[in-house]
Every structure is written in structure tokens, then in C-alpha cells.
Amino acid sequence: MPIAPAPGKSRLIFRLGAISNWLVSVGGIIAPVEFGHLTAPMMAPPNYPFLVRLWSGMAFMFGFMFWEISNDPVTRRALIKYSWIEKCVTGTSVTIAWITGNVPLVFFLFICFTDWFWVPLFAYYDARVRRELAG
């Protein structure tokens, strides 16, 4: 039973985040080379497809964490910070790769929608849940 009602649309935001992670990552798990062509068509095929599969598997797993948070954001509040941290790690890594010319613009834009988009939403609900519980 939750300590307090979940604030705002936090349940919906974390559920949508979970679904987004699952949809984006399943292709990399099933067919990493083809997923690489789809997400970064101007890049050479990945030299190490297992790394695409590994990243995709981790993103898929984090989708379960987002879903867990969505079930009860107040009780699962300790996990919320990891949602935006996870998105920042991937977003920062790809942004640096784009700035240094290691990935094309299309891949950077892909990450903007799959990671950077969620950071302010997850961070907002992290702060909001903490603030409401503090009184």
C-alpha cells in the first residue's frame, strides 16, 4: 500500500517510459546488425553485434524498472533517480560520440527521442515525489 498518492501523471509517464524502452530495444536483442542499420543507416554495420545486443538487453531490463516504478511511484521512489541517471548515461555517451564525429546526426536524434526526452520528465517526478513526501 502506498504511503501517499502518486503525484500527477507519474504512473503514466513511467509506464510510457517502460513501453518506449521495450519497443526501442527489442530489435537490438533479436537482430543487432539489422537494428544498427535501422537506427544509424549511414554507419558501417556494428563490428561487435553482441554489444548492440548487450545495450539493448540493458535498455529492455530498465523498461521493467520503469514499469515497477509506475506501479507505485511513492513506494518505489528510491528507484526513480536511477531512471533519469540511466537515460543520462546513454544520452551523454551518444552525444559525445556525435560531437566527436563517431556517430551520425540521425543516431544522435534517435537518442534525443529515446533518452534525452525522458530525462526531464523522470527528474521532475523524482523531485516531485521527494518534495511531496517531505511536506
Side-chain angles (χ1 to χ4, degrees), residues 93-130:
S93 297
V94 173
T95 300
I96 291 169
W98 176 65
I99 289 169
T100 58
N102 291 300
V103 297
L105 176 63
V106 67
F107 192 73
F108 170 70
L109 295 174
F110 178 74
I111 292 301
C112 285
F113 288 107
T114 61
D115 290 276
W116 286 127
F117 171 81
W118 296 100
V119 171
L121 294 169
F122 290 170
Y124 168 76
Y125 283 110
D126 185 17
R128 187 164 172 192
V129 167
R130 291 173 192 279

Side-chain angles (χ1 to χ4, degrees), residues 2-87:
I3 296 169
K9 299 207 181 300
S10 57
R11 291 179 194 266
L12 175 64
I13 293 300
F14 284 101
R15 288 213 171 163
L16 291 174
I19 292 166
S20 171
N21 263 47
W22 293 331
L23 291 175
V24 168
S25 62
V26 72
I29 294 168
I30 295 170
V33 173
E34 292 77 6
F35 181 74
H37 287 303
L38 179 66
T39 58
M42 294 153 202
M43 289 178 63
N47 290 335
Y48 302 100
F50 83 92
L51 290 176
V52 175
R53 185 172 280 130
L54 176 66
W55 171 85
S56 297
M58 294 298 291
F60 196 82
M61 183 272 308
F62 273 109
F64 286 102
M65 185 186 74
F66 303 156
W67 192 268
E68 184 73 20
I69 293 167
S70 79
N71 287 329
D72 190 345
V74 173
T75 302
R76 305 293 190 271
R77 66 189 173 276
L79 295 175
I80 296 176
K81 66 181 165 281
Y82 300 111
S83 66
W84 59 264
I85 291 170
E86 179 269 329
K87 295 294 188 183

